């Protein structure tokens, strides 16, 4: 096995080992491993692109994990270069501010904050903000733009350091981080450490139902370790003392969901949007392995 590649043998949401391969694509180099003209004759290292279904909780995921330092420390994707994404994050911030007026001008932390585009809109609305991102150049750029950003991967240890220095946050966001990270429990633990008991934890991620309905097999690449649906994610949150209270489907990345959670027993009621989307997922058979066999066959036909 390559030194830069690890393979897990359990589901990263429920920990069960009843995992079945459902999609197998051709091995490729990492998606952002761009090369110069002079390097074109050099052999690039390729890694598996195989997707598995958890028979216990129905989570869909890759088990082959490239060292995240290779993928993210020299990351090239920058949110603020895309007008569409700038507008998306402006609408995102405005939506949260309008939905939770009691959290006006509080403290927001963004896990995987990139260049701070989302945090900029919170800051302009009077919030205190802090970004956390492992991409060194992008984090430096964010700091230069006036968005205080810590360089590193979020962890319980880092969360405790930040809480000691900055106190609790009332809003924590993590956009596409749940698709990119192998250690989802570590992210949940970090959010629990940093979040005020009456605060909200918002994640936005590519939605598995959109991937299936729109045949978005090109979103299967090494950065995307997980392909999320709400049912297994909801169970994961409950196991980690959070509860999902609201869900909004959005257009970014071909189709995503914005999931709002609070600590269990928090002050907010659970929206009907949660039961509605769980019902839809059952109707669309996202918890059945046959659904992914059909998707795999569709990919082969398209090829």
């Amino acid at each position: 096995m390559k030194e830069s590649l690890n393979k897990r043998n359990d589901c990263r949401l429920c920990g069960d080992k009843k995992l079945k391969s459902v999609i197998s694509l051709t091995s490729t180099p990492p998606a952002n491993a761009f090369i110069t003209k002079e390097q074109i004759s050099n052999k690039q290292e390729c890694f598996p692109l195989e997707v598995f279904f958890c028979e216990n909780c129905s989570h869909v995921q890759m088990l082959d994990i490239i060292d995240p330092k290779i993928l993210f420390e020299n990351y090239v994707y920058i949110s603020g270069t895309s007008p569409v994404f700038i507008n998306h994050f402006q609408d995102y911030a405005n939506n949260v501010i309008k939905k939770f007026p009691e959290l006006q001008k509080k403290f927001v932390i963004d896990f995987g904050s990139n260049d701070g585009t989302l945090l900029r809109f919170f800051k302009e609305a009077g919030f205190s903000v802090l970004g956390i991102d492992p991409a060194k150049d992008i984090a430096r750029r964010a700091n230069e733009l006036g968005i205080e950003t810590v360089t590193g991967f979020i962890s319980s240890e880092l969360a405790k350091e930040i809480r000691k220095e900055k106190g609790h946050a009332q809003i924590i966001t993590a956009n596409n981080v749940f698709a990119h990270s192998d250690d989802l429990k570590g992210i949940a633990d970090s959010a629990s450490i940093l979040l005020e008991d009456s605060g909200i934890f918002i994640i936005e991620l590519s939605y598995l139902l959109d991937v299936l309905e729109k045949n978005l097999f090109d979103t299967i690449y090494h950065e995307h370790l997980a392909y999320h649906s709400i049912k297994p994610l909801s169970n994961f949150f409950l196991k980690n003392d959070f509860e999902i209270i609201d869900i909004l489907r959005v257009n970014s990345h071909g189709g995503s969901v914005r999931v709002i959670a609070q600590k269990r027993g928090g002050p907010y009621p659970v929206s009907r949007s949660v039961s509605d989307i769980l019902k839809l997922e059952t109707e669309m058979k996202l918890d059945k392995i046959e659904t992914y066999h059909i998707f795999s066959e569709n990919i082969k036909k398209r090829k």
Side-chain angles (χ1 to χ4, degrees):
M1 184 177 286
K2 303 175 176 95
E3 290 182 9
S4 49
L5 185 72
N6 290 309
K7 185 162 187 170
R8 66 182 299 147
N9 63 358
D10 62 339
C11 173
R12 58 176 54 84
L13 283 188
C14 75
D16 201 278
K17 294 186 178 181
K18 294 196 286 285
L19 298 159
K20 292 290 178 67
S21 175
V22 288
I23 302 166
S24 184
L25 304 181
T26 303
S27 296
T28 69
N32 286 317
F34 299 115
I35 59 171
T36 64
K37 189 175 180 181
E38 292 71 32
Q39 295 171 315
I40 205 156
S41 60
N42 297 348
K43 185 176 180 180
Q44 284 187 283
E45 195 170 11
C46 293
F47 300 93
L49 281 174
E50 188 172 12
V51 179
F52 292 79
F53 175 83
C54 176
E55 293 187 299
N56 181 58
C57 78
S58 73
H59 182 47
V60 177
Q61 61 207 291
M62 287 203 286
L63 301 179
D64 295 283
I65 305 152
I66 299 178
D67 184 344
K69 291 181 179 178
I70 293 174
L71 295 178
F72 299 114
E73 283 195 345
N74 297 300
Y75 204 47
V76 296
Y77 175 80
I78 299 174
S79 303
T81 59
S82 165
V84 172
F85 236 71
I86 292 171
N87 291 336
H88 171 72
F89 278 138
Q90 186 171 27
D91 290 342
Y92 182 145
N94 289 340
N95 178 268
V96 172
I97 292 166
K98 184 178 179 180
K99 194 174 186 68
F100 299 95
E102 63 281 2
L103 301 180
Q104 291 279 357
K105 300 184 180 181
K106 299 288 188 176
F107 180 30
V108 184
I109 297 176
D110 190 15
F111 296 170
S113 53
N114 200 266
D115 66 347
T117 299
L118 174 62
L119 289 178
R120 173 162 60 89
F121 294 114
F122 279 110
K123 185 175 181 180
E124 289 172 356
F127 288 77
S128 300
V129 301
L130 180 70
I132 303 167
D133 199 280
K136 297 172 184 176
D137 289 344
I138 295 176
R140 184 175 67 249
R141 174 191 174 106
N143 279 300
E144 289 170 354
L145 293 171
I147 303 299
E148 184 181 357
T149 303
V150 176
T151 304
F153 291 96
I154 186 60
S155 65
S156 295
E157 293 74 21
L158 180 57
K160 288 173 184 175
E161 290 176 21
I162 292 170
R163 184 183 65 186
K164 185 177 180 180
E165 181 182 345
K166 303 277 189 181
H168 287 99
Q170 287 70 46
I171 301 172
I172 295 177
T173 55
N175 304 304
N176 297 302
V177 173
F178 263 61
H180 289 170
S181 176
D182 180 45
D183 184 16
L184 300 185
K185 182 174 181 358
I187 295 174
D189 288 345
S190 299
S192 183
I193 289 165
L194 281 166
L195 190 65
E196 192 175 81
D197 287 345
S198 59
I200 54 169
F201 180 31
I202 309 172
I203 65 172
E204 193 169 279
L205 35 80
S206 176
Y207 188 34
L208 178 59
L209 182 56
D210 285 296
V211 173
L212 295 173
E213 287 187 326
K214 301 172 186 175
N215 208 30
L216 302 177
F217 60 86
D218 58 320
T219 65
I220 299 173
Y221 54 94
H222 302 106
E223 291 170 20
H224 289 175
L225 292 172
Y227 303 85
H228 285 285
S229 55
I230 297 303
K231 182 182 175 182
L233 192 60
S234 177
N235 292 333
F236 168 80
F237 270 126
L238 289 171
K239 194 166 69 173
N240 288 278
D241 292 321
F242 282 93
E243 59 182 344
I244 295 174
I245 59 170
D246 199 12
I247 299 166
L248 177 68
R249 293 185 72 173
V250 294
N251 293 325
S252 60
H253 296 294
S256 299
V257 279
R258 185 176 304 151
V259 178
I260 304 176
Q262 66 181 354
K263 291 185 178 180
R264 290 182 76 169
Y268 299 105
V270 177
S271 164
R272 182 178 170 179
S273 63
V274 180
S275 58
D276 284 348
I277 209 160
L278 288 171
K279 181 183 177 184
L280 176 63
E281 290 185 356
T282 300
E283 291 171 353
M284 300 303 293
K285 299 181 180 179
L286 294 196
D287 57 348
K288 305 296 183 185
I289 194 169
E290 293 80 13
T291 300
Y292 306 98
H293 289 152
I294 293 168
F295 182 60
S296 180
E297 287 303 313
N298 288 339
I299 294 171
K300 290 174 185 174
K301 288 175 185 176
R302 180 63 59 91
K303 180 180 177 182

